[in-house]
Every structure is written in structure tokens, then in C-alpha cells.
Amino acid sequence: MSVDGETGVRLRSEADEPGWEVDPDDDWGVAVIATVGRQVKLRREAVGMRAADFGVAVGYGEDLIYKIEAGKRIPRPEFLDKADEVLGAGGLLSAMKEDVAKVRYPKKVRELAKLEARAVEFQLYDPLNIHGLLQTPEYARGLLLMRRPAYSQDEVERMVAGRVARKSVFERDPVPELGFVLEEWTLRRPLGGRALLRAQLGHLLEVAGLRNVELQVMPMSREEHAGLAGGIEVLKFGDGSAVGRSPAVANGRPVTERKQLHILELRYGIIRAQALTPRESTAFIEQLLGET
């Protein structure tokens, strides 16, 4: 954060904007941000305002204004609202917030979110972590910061934003049916610290209480386990079609063939049968929360 010498106004700089860089490999994202930046510049020049003066008006440093106008930085939603007001754009710049928000999410996350937005039923099992749709932002950030080789801060914030955006599946109307199977050990290990884990367990209990969610825990004490070949994701759609993915089928690539989907659904069904029931799972998580 810098301070304008003449007005004393505090101005945001690039250092204050982690996670707001454009991914050069995301062609659609690059095009969107380039268009937005061009519109901002054209509007600013049309009213005869210098970049430095415009920056003071919206609380941004001159260098950051130039980066946004050049399509090198993703503008925040509040920047677009303020810029629209200052430049008298009549809602044009504010209207771009929805597409701009999507650019922050990695391309793969956007493609997955499109499928999740259509799905009427989810069958999800993750043997390594609490599933991304169930993670709090703080817990997700803690997990991502543990990655080696380490992600950059920009990558971490981009991925956290993507996971948060995917949670919109819980707010859809009509709501889809969501089934999760979690491993006990992922609920016990205090990754990121016990405070993060406590908040995460509390969030799981809230989600488990939703009428359209079936959340089950696979205890470590089980002597039989059908999920040792890896995670499973199956999304079913209203037209009867489906898409699935698992490391054990087609090397983890998405599959739509009936035979391969049948294998995934068979394994998932056995895993669910081996896990605790939803009611037992809720009681188990409540007990863990009390012990953490």
C-alpha cells in the first residue's frame, strides 16, 4: 500500500493484489481481461482523466492502473464498481464483474464447475483429503500451502477462489443430491493446525445437516476397503447421462462410457456400504470435534 504525495490517499499496489494475475495459458481469460482493460482505458481517456488522477479516485496506484488497462492484472469487483462510478460508464464496467470473476479460477476448475452446475447427483470419494467441495477457505489454503514444490502465492489464492466458487452447488435451486465418503484419518490429522481443523469439522457438521447431503466416514478400523485404487467422482445429469473419473479407470481421464461408469458406481456403492451410516458419521465427527 502506497500513499499519494499530494492527497495523502492510500493507494493499492501490485503487492496488495496476490492472486490477481492473468494466467497466460488461459486464452479465454486473457481475452476477457484484455477487453475489460481496454474499456477502462477508453472510458478514462474519453473523460480526459490522467491515469494517476484516476488511480487516486479509485484508490489504486498509477502502475497498477496501467497493468489493468493493459490486461495484465485481473481487476477486483469493487474496482470495476468504483471505476464505473468515477468514469460515468453507466453500468458497463460493473456488468463485466461476472466474467472477470470467472477468470480468477483455473481453467480446469471452470470446466469442472460447468459440469457441476448441470449435475443432479454427485457421488464423491477422496481417499487423501477432505473433498474440495467440503473444505473451508482457510483449510483449503492451509493444504495448498503445504504443496512441494511450493505453489506461488498467486497460484494458492487462485485455487482457493476456485474452490470457494464451486460451493455454489449447495445453493442451487433445485438442489442436487450430494454423496460424500471421507476417510477417518483425513478428519484426525490437524493439517494447518488444530484451530483450522476444528473449524473444518464444524463446517462438515453444518453440511451434513443439509437434507440433500449424505456424508459418510470410512473408519480406519475397517478390515475391508473397496477404495484402495483411488478416489471416485461420478456426476449424473438430468438427461440420464453421466461423467466419472478415477485414477483406476482410464488413467484418471473423464469417462462417459456405460461400462466404465458401471465400474465406478459399483466401487462407490461398496465403499458406501463399508463406511459408517450418515447418522453414525455425524456422531463420529461430533466426537472428533470434542476431542480436537
Side-chain angles (χ1 to χ4, degrees):
M1 191 78 72
S2 60
V3 178
D4 180 69
E6 295 182 6
T7 64
V9 175
R10 295 172 66 83
L11 307 176
R12 298 187 70 87
S13 65
E14 284 190 72
D16 303 312
E17 300 281 307
W20 294 84
E21 296 178 356
V22 183
D23 181 354
D25 296 325
D26 183 356
D27 294 338
W28 179 81
V30 168
V32 167
I33 299 308
T35 299
V36 173
R38 191 178 304 116
Q39 286 295 324
V40 172
K41 183 178 181 180
L42 288 173
R43 292 283 171 173
R44 176 178 64 77
E45 293 178 341
V47 299
M49 183 176 284
R50 296 185 307 127
D53 296 332
F54 174 55
V56 171
V58 296
Y60 276 56
E62 184 177 3
D63 289 346
L64 190 52
I65 293 296
Y66 282 129
K67 286 287 181 70
I68 291 173
E69 292 184 345
K72 303 297 184 184
R73 302 287 293 189
I74 303 171
R76 289 174 174 268
E78 56 268 28
F79 169 87
L80 292 173
D81 284 336
K82 188 65 176 178
D84 195 283
E85 177 187 338
V86 170
L87 300 177
L92 175 67
L93 299 180
S94 292
M96 296 179 171
K97 287 189 293 185
E98 184 175 347
D99 282 340
V100 169
K102 294 177 182 177
V103 176
R104 281 208 71 199
Y105 316 142
K107 183 178 179 181
K108 186 167 75 171
V109 172
R110 288 205 307 268
E111 293 171 350
L112 177 59
K114 288 180 181 179
L115 291 175
E116 292 177 342
R118 292 175 45 222
V120 296
E121 182 181 346
F122 292 63
Q123 298 177 344
L124 305 168
Y125 165 64
D126 188 338
L128 301 177
N129 297 294
I130 294 172
H131 195 278
L133 285 175
L134 297 173
Q135 293 173 10
T136 65
E138 296 77 17
Y139 189 84
R141 184 176 290 105
L143 290 183
L144 292 168
L145 288 172
M146 295 177 199
R147 164 81 179 316
R148 295 296 182 272
Y151 288 124
S152 68
Q153 190 63 37
D154 179 84
E155 291 173 316
V156 169
E157 295 305 323
R158 189 183 292 271
M159 284 186 277
V160 170
R163 292 189 186 182
V164 171
R166 288 173 59 202
K167 290 177 179 292
S168 61
V169 298
F170 292 102
E171 302 166 359
R172 280 171 39 194
D173 186 16
V175 292
E177 295 296 321
L178 296 116
F180 298 92
V181 180
L182 309 177
E183 289 289 342
E184 176 185 344
W185 80 269
T186 66
L187 305 179
R188 287 189 176 277
R189 181 164 290 180
L191 299 176
R194 293 195 175 277
L196 285 185
L197 179 58
R198 282 188 57 82
Q200 177 62 66
L201 292 175
H203 178 65
L204 290 179
L205 291 174
E206 292 178 9
V207 175
L210 299 176
R211 292 177 60 190
N212 62 311
V213 174
E214 298 289 333
L215 194 153
Q216 296 177 250
V217 175
M218 176 68 79
M220 292 188 293
S221 60
R222 289 294 191 255
E223 296 182 359
E224 294 185 356
H225 194 327
L228 299 182
I232 296 174
E233 294 183 14
V234 177
L235 305 182
K236 298 183 178 182
F237 308 107
D239 61 2
S241 63
V243 61
R245 187 175 61 174
S246 174
V249 175
N251 294 317
R253 297 190 302 274
V255 297
T256 56
E257 294 81 1
R258 190 64 250 171
K259 181 179 179 180
Q260 292 173 316
L261 286 170
H262 176 70
I263 292 173
L264 294 181
E265 291 188 73
L266 175 65
R267 289 179 179 167
Y268 185 76
I270 297 174
I271 292 170
R272 287 196 64 186
Q274 293 170 332
L276 298 175
T277 67
R279 180 169 295 185
E280 291 170 340
S281 298
T282 297
F284 185 81
I285 295 172
E286 289 174 340
Q287 180 181 338
L288 285 180
L289 182 57
E291 297 173 354
T292 303

